[in-house]
Amino acid sequence: MNAISRYPVPALDALPEDVRQRILDVQEKAGFVPNVFLALARRPDEFRAFLAYHDALLLRDSGLSKGEREMIIVATSAANSCLYCVVAHGAILRVYEKAPMLADQIATNYRKADISPRQRAMLDFAMKVCLNSAEVGDADYAGLRAQGFSDEDIWDICSITALFGLSNRLANTISLRPNDEFYLLGRIPRAKT
């Protein structure tokens, strides 16, 4: 079996209670523990900080749908060549959008993906933030507002892109391996129970 990352992961019973419980909660919901949780748990304070910001951005009420937030993550993670985030968040995107091919389209070339003009504008902006943030200007904001995005939505696009820029760099540097479970998630219908 291949290692989860370059760094060893701690045993669950060696972790602080809140960190261990968060991992167990994710395992109960997903049916497995995403490797990122185990990799980050080696530094509990950073685990807590990263997940607090993650949750603040991705779980809050927003003008962006859950699927749109995942589109941003997949497109920008692909631009940053982050295998872990493309695979893991691609799976989440497929589940949210109920679209088995969408994550592959967005990761490869979002401009050709089956998305709306509004979503294309959102990803154009996210990619500019990802690759050339110093060039973002008033025209970029005006273009997004013309597509119906509020200033708070634009903040969300920027913040999600920035957080996952950090995540992509960390995952790449530590060779974070995607869980095998992510590859099929959202590609084939779940068995009815």
Side-chain angles (χ1 to χ4, degrees), residues 45-109:
D45 288 341
E46 292 173 38
F47 176 96
R48 292 180 190 105
F50 180 86
L51 289 174
Y53 195 36
H54 171 279
D55 293 352
L57 288 172
L58 297 178
L59 301 181
R60 68 182 288 279
D61 287 335
S62 170
L64 305 178
S65 72
K66 290 179 179 182
E68 287 170 337
R69 295 175 221 199
E70 295 298 330
M71 288 178 195
I72 294 165
I73 298 165
V74 171
T76 60
S77 294
N80 289 326
S81 300
C82 182
L83 177 65
Y84 185 88
C85 290
V86 168
V87 172
H89 290 275
I92 298 167
L93 173 57
R94 290 190 299 271
V95 169
Y96 283 157
E97 294 294 311
K98 296 175 180 53
M101 297 181 292
L102 185 59
D104 297 324
Q105 293 172 348
I106 289 176
T108 303
N109 184 352

Side-chain angles (χ1 to χ4, degrees), residues 30-189:
F32 64 97
V33 178
N35 289 341
V36 68
F37 285 85
L38 298 172
L40 291 176
R42 67 184 302 275
R43 290 189 167 188
D45 288 341
E46 292 173 38
F47 176 96
R48 292 180 190 105
F50 180 86
L51 289 174
Y53 195 36
H54 171 279
D55 293 352
L57 288 172
L58 297 178
L59 301 181
R60 68 182 288 279
D61 287 335
S62 170
L64 305 178
S65 72
K66 290 179 179 182
E68 287 170 337
R69 295 175 221 199
E70 295 298 330
M71 288 178 195
I72 294 165
I73 298 165
V74 171
T76 60
S77 294
N80 289 326
S81 300
C82 182
L83 177 65
Y84 185 88
C85 290
V86 168
V87 172
H89 290 275
I92 298 167
L93 173 57
R94 290 190 299 271
V95 169
Y96 283 157
E97 294 294 311
K98 296 175 180 53
M101 297 181 292
L102 185 59
D104 297 324
Q105 293 172 348
I106 289 176
T108 303
N109 184 352
Y110 73 91
R111 290 179 186 92
K112 306 290 184 190
D114 296 326
I115 58 176
S116 70
R118 177 183 184 275
Q119 292 165 336
R120 191 165 287 108
M122 173 189 76
L123 293 180
D124 283 341
F125 181 73
M127 292 300 284
K128 190 167 187 178
V129 171
C130 176
L131 301 171
N132 298 301
S133 62
E135 296 177 12
V136 170
D138 292 341
D140 298 300
Y141 277 77
L144 287 172
R145 288 183 191 118
Q147 289 290 334
F149 290 101
S150 70
D151 285 350
E152 293 305 310
D153 298 335
I154 297 168
W155 182 284
D156 286 344
I157 297 166
C158 178
S159 296
I160 292 166
T161 301
L163 175 64
F164 281 88
L166 176 153
S167 179
N168 297 159
R169 283 156 182 78
L170 181 60
N172 277 334
T173 303
I174 67 170
S175 297
L176 186 58
R177 181 179 172 79
N179 299 67
D180 292 345
E181 292 90 343
F182 282 129
Y183 287 94
L184 291 181
L185 194 62
R187 291 190 192 276
I188 53 177

